[in-house]
Amino acid sequence: MRSFVKTKTAIALALTVTAGAAQADGHGGVEVLHWWTSGGEAAALNVLKEDLEGQGIGWTDMPVAGGGGEQAMTVLRARVTAGNAPTAVQGLGFDIIDWAKQGALANLNDVAAAEGWDAVVPAALQQFAKVDGQWVSAPVNVHSTNWVWANKAVLDANGIAAPETWDDFAAALEKLAAAGVTPIAHGGQAWQDATVFDAVAMSTLGPDGYKAAFIDLDAEALGSDAMIEAFKRMDVIRANVDDNFSGRDWNLATAMVINGEAGFQMMGDWAKGEFLNAGKVPGEDFLCFRFPGTQEQVTFNADQFMMFDQGGAVSSQQAALASAILSPSFQSAFNVVKGSVPARTDVSNEAFDACGKQGMADLAAAAGSGNLFGSMAHGHANDAAVKNAMYDVITAHFNGEYDAETAVMELVDAVEIAQ
Ligand code: GAL
């Protein structure tokens, strides 16, 4: 019932906005659907809005709150069904490929060729931005999910260094709990539980196991003892969140670490944008480090803007938006604020802080050593049906419906059914 109401509301919302948007778009602007509604995300988005307004291109904003973009994708489907797709839409990985295969996206080949995207956008992103040789979206950034964010003063007060191994991490959690500090700030939403699982699974299965399970959907890997261990580690994490974690938005969990209420948050590097938006400095106020046991890997998700076909060739506004997104100056200015790293390999790291510089170095190293993997939680390992099947099992386990052994059996079955 809940999902029906959600969809009905989404359609109503979409149809209400349509009239306004169509009118705004008729004045040569762009209507952009996205889910960047937190403080840090909005600050980053303003960089793009101002860039376009500087080119005389008006921006009709269509924000749809809900981390990870599930709600935004529901509204998008309603808008497309109503025959009035937005000009541009934030999208992730396999969702982009799905829309392209439905013939819904404009061809960006001309702007891509004119600006040499093929030479500067990493292959890992082109895998999702080009479908059947056609550029269908403009990559904005590269985020990664296997990060931990820590309040430095809280760790210092408890004699805790950035943990290198799972055992170090578990010991740090025990210390914080004994000191009466919430060890882990978390938001109990399926996409957040899955984001944590990205890192825990990588640390437990290792890169080959992660690839076999989440990218290749190998039943043996999905049902392995290592996967049972991953769910047992999720039990430890569940035991170290506060009582009010359920339903909390991700940026409110980040705020708990920012203000010292909690020691750690396991979240993608969009969390860094919240620290910066709060005026915090890496190395002084907070620490950023790879989840223990995943220091050599990167589980990535790239935000891209899909240009929806408006009934003809790509519009001049869509081409201008795509060009603005891939410009080196924008790539630096936006990603410095967003917490992500540039979507092109020729952008200097000069403007980036220590966490950003580490993110850029980690991405290059992982790409070079075969340790760069699409995030399962953020639609870069498999399509939405498989991703959502995994979400259901991971969040059911996190909420105590399954023990680790049962969760693994449910995971194997759910993935088999979803394919
Ligand atoms: C991710 C997206 C990020 C950020 C995050 C939280 O899927 O790539 O840009 O929006 O969700 O909502």
Side-chain angles (χ1 to χ4, degrees), residues 122-390:
L125 268 59
Q126 292 195 33
Q127 177 188 348
F128 298 106
K130 289 178 80 173
V131 177
D132 302 332
Q134 179 178 313
W135 281 92
V136 293
S137 63
V140 182
N141 62 11
V142 186
H143 274 302
S144 52
T145 57
N146 58 314
W147 285 101
V148 183
W149 309 92
N151 181 294
K152 187 176 183 301
V154 166
L155 266 55
D156 290 350
N158 290 281
I160 296 170
E164 296 279 322
T165 66
W166 169 257
D167 290 343
D168 294 347
F169 187 55
L173 298 178
E174 273 180 40
K175 254 189 182 178
L176 290 175
V181 177
T182 297
I184 297 176
H186 181 66
Q189 296 168 348
W191 77 271
Q192 292 189 62
D193 301 342
T195 300
V196 170
F197 196 72
D198 259 357
V200 171
M202 178 63 83
S203 77
T204 317
L205 280 78
D208 296 343
Y210 182 96
K211 179 179 180 298
F214 299 112
I215 295 169
D216 303 336
L217 303 183
D218 175 79
E220 204 177 313
L222 285 165
S224 63
D225 289 346
M227 191 67 80
I228 293 173
E229 174 58 22
F231 278 103
K232 285 183 174 172
R233 292 184 180 184
M234 290 297 283
D235 287 329
V236 172
I237 287 166
R238 171 64 183 83
N240 281 281
V241 300
D242 66 299
D243 293 342
N244 302 317
F245 81 98
S246 182
R248 179 183 288 130
D249 285 335
W250 69 271
N251 54 310
L252 300 183
T254 312
M256 290 169 68
V257 178
I258 288 171
N259 63 36
E261 258 182 83
F264 300 106
Q265 182 186 21
M266 297 169 60
M267 186 46 68
D269 42 16
W270 45 90
K272 211 278 292 276
E274 298 305 299
F275 284 94
L276 298 187
N277 198 48
K280 302 302 179 184
V281 178
E284 289 176 28
D285 303 305
F286 68 98
L287 303 179
C288 58
F289 52 91
R290 292 294 177 186
F291 183 74
T294 72
Q295 289 90 331
E296 302 307 313
Q297 285 80 40
V298 171
T299 47
F300 81 95
N301 62 292
D303 289 307
Q304 306 203 37
F305 275 108
M306 301 180 276
M307 305 298 168
F308 272 75
D309 192 323
Q310 303 289 307
V314 60
S315 73
S316 58
Q317 292 82 7
Q318 287 175 320
L321 174 57
S323 177
I325 288 167
L326 268 295
S327 77
S329 57
F330 169 79
Q331 280 289 318
S332 181
F334 173 86
N335 285 295
V336 158
V337 177
K338 185 69 172 64
S340 38
V341 302
R344 49 185 299 162
T345 54
D346 61 346
V347 174
S348 161
N349 70 356
E350 195 181 331
F352 290 79
D353 63 27
C355 295
K357 285 185 166 74
Q358 181 182 340
M360 290 173 79
D362 290 352
L363 179 66
S369 65
N371 276 297
L372 180 60
F373 301 93
S375 159
M376 168 277 296
H378 291 265
H380 281 72
N382 256 287
D383 68 17
V386 170
K387 180 192 78 172
N388 291 327
M390 292 184 174

